[in-house]
């Protein structure tokens, strides 16, 4: 009598969800990512933690943790009129520059994306070439031009050039985004009796919202962190230091209170927190807008 035995070597294992398993097959990639993250986040954490330390503690152990932990530096900065004046100036410049960039960039991108006219490609190439034109090259002629126009030392002298230097990036992002909107939508709107302006306001503008949010966020953060342009225009003008934007305010504060290192670090932390929080909260919208532009 013979008996057969069936050996089950193993049942198929359920596939693991993608993205939940650490891939040890590429350790170099993870090492590089960790190093880049440490280089990017390390200085920010050091400045932030330094604001909770006394100057004596920083001098005794520059690389240590707060000991003792103090809020005196933050209270001193928040209680000063200079910080709130600098915050007002940065907010005003960032909001006005962002509004100008979005409005002007949208109008220019709409014409380049939806109208067919002679010289369109050349005009688009001209805007693209603006990406390779740094502010440092235009520093001297820009200063002379603003003096001639009577805008030197004013907020408008920062806002208008800020809009101009942000337009190339804005148009490069928005033109492919607007081109991706099907022409059939515009034709259907025309059949229903809508004008080009009505199509722009009622159909194209809502569909272009992700791209507009993306360029708006990029313009806001760039204006908030801008240093060279305010330095050229405002620092040599007649505006008091209490009404300078935060990047210049940080420089002046660190120069005037160079012996109080803890207060300088607290001031620097407070200056970068709004833009950092704003950028982190809108990170997904930025990626979504850039993805739409690439697909377009």
């Amino acid at each position: 009598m013979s008996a057969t035995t069936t050996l089950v070597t193993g049942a198929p294992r359920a596939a693991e969800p993608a993205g939940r398993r650490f891939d040890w097959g590429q350790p170099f990639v993870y090492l590089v990512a960790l190093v880049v993250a440490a280089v990017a986040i390390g200085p920010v954490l050091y400045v932030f933690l330094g604001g909770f330390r006394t100057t004596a503690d920083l001098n005794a152990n520059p690389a240590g943790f707060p000991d003792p932990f103090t809020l005196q530096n933050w209270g001193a900065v928040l209680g000063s009129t200079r910080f709130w004046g600098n915050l007002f100036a940065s907010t005003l410049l960032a909001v006005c520059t962002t509004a100008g960039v979005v409005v002007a960039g949208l109008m220019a991108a709409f014409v380049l994306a939806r109208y067919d006219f002679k010289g369109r490609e050349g005009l688009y190439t001209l805007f693209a070439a603006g990406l390779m034109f740094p502010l440092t090259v235009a520093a001297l002629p820009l200063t002379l031009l603003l003096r001639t126009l009577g805008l030197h030392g004013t907020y408008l002298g920062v806002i208008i050039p800020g809009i101009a230097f942000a337009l190339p990036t804005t148009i490069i992002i928005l033109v492919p985004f607007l081109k991706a909107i099907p022409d059939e939508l515009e034709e259907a709107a025309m059949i229903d009796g809508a004008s080009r302006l009505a199509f722009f306001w009622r159909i194209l503008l809502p569909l272009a919202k992700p791209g507009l949010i993306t360029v708006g966020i990029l313009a806001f953060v760039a204006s908030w962190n801008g240093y060279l342009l305010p330095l050229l225009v405002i620092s040599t003008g007649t505006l008091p230091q209490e009404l300078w934007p935060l990047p210049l305010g940080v420089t002046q504060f660190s120069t005037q209170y160079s012996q109080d290192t803890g207060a300088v670090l607290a001031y620097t932390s407070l200056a970068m927190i709004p833009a950092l929080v704003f950028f982190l909260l809108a990170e997904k919208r930025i990626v979504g807008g850039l993805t739409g532009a690439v697909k377009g």
Side-chain angles (χ1 to χ4, degrees):
M1 184 176 179
S2 62
T4 58
T5 55
T6 304
L7 298 178
V8 180
T9 57
R13 300 170 61 183
E16 296 184 11
R20 294 188 181 181
R21 186 166 55 90
F22 189 86
D23 185 9
W24 290 100
Q26 296 179 337
F28 181 74
V29 175
Y30 291 103
L31 178 62
V32 172
L34 289 174
V35 171
V36 171
V39 171
I41 300 175
V44 178
L45 290 178
Y46 180 82
V47 171
F48 184 76
L49 291 175
F52 295 102
R53 305 177 65 185
T54 62
T55 302
D57 183 26
L58 284 165
N59 293 334
N61 186 13
F65 287 93
D67 184 25
F69 190 92
T70 178
L71 295 175
Q72 181 180 358
N73 298 325
W74 296 74
V77 173
L78 291 174
S80 66
T81 56
R82 167 179 292 192
F83 172 76
W84 295 108
N86 295 156
L87 181 64
F88 165 77
S90 285
T91 304
L92 178 65
L93 292 176
V95 170
C96 293
T97 301
T98 302
V101 168
V102 172
V103 173
L106 177 61
M107 291 190 295
F110 175 70
V111 174
L112 291 173
R114 311 297 300 188
Y115 284 79
D116 190 9
F117 58 91
K118 187 177 181 180
R120 183 181 67 169
E121 296 300 327
L123 188 59
Y124 182 75
T125 303
L126 181 63
F127 278 112
L131 296 173
M132 299 178 289
F133 190 73
L135 177 60
T136 52
V137 176
L140 179 59
L142 178 62
T143 303
L144 296 176
L145 178 62
L146 292 176
R147 289 185 184 275
T148 303
L149 296 175
L151 296 177
H152 189 267
T154 65
Y155 290 146
L156 275 178
V158 178
I159 293 171
I160 296 176
I163 294 172
F165 280 99
L167 277 179
T169 304
T170 302
I171 291 174
I172 293 300
I173 293 175
L174 287 182
V175 166
F177 203 97
L178 298 180
K179 278 186 177 180
I181 298 176
D183 294 334
E184 289 77 6
L185 287 177
E186 185 172 1
E187 295 173 359
M190 296 299 178
I191 293 175
D192 291 338
S195 61
R196 279 190 177 270
L197 189 59
F199 167 75
F200 175 82
W201 283 108
R202 298 178 183 178
I203 299 177
L204 187 137
L205 200 58
L207 292 176
K209 185 178 178 181
L212 296 177
I213 293 175
T214 298
V215 297
I217 294 170
L218 295 177
F220 183 90
V221 174
S223 176
W224 186 275
N225 295 328
Y227 177 78
L228 181 57
L229 185 58
L231 179 66
L232 295 173
V233 179
I234 291 182
S235 64
T236 56
T238 58
L239 280 175
Q241 294 182 3
E242 289 76 10
L243 294 178
W244 289 6
L246 279 171
L248 295 183
V250 170
T251 303
Q252 285 301 119
F253 189 87
S254 61
T255 301
Q256 187 172 351
Y257 298 94
S258 58
Q259 302 300 321
D260 194 355
T261 310
V264 172
L265 294 178
Y267 194 103
T268 306
S269 300
L270 288 169
M272 66 182 178
I273 283 175
L276 183 62
V277 172
F278 184 71
F279 188 85
L280 291 176
L281 291 177
E283 180 184 3
K284 292 184 178 179
R285 293 185 177 271
I286 294 177
V287 175
L290 292 177
T291 303
V294 172
K295 288 181 178 179

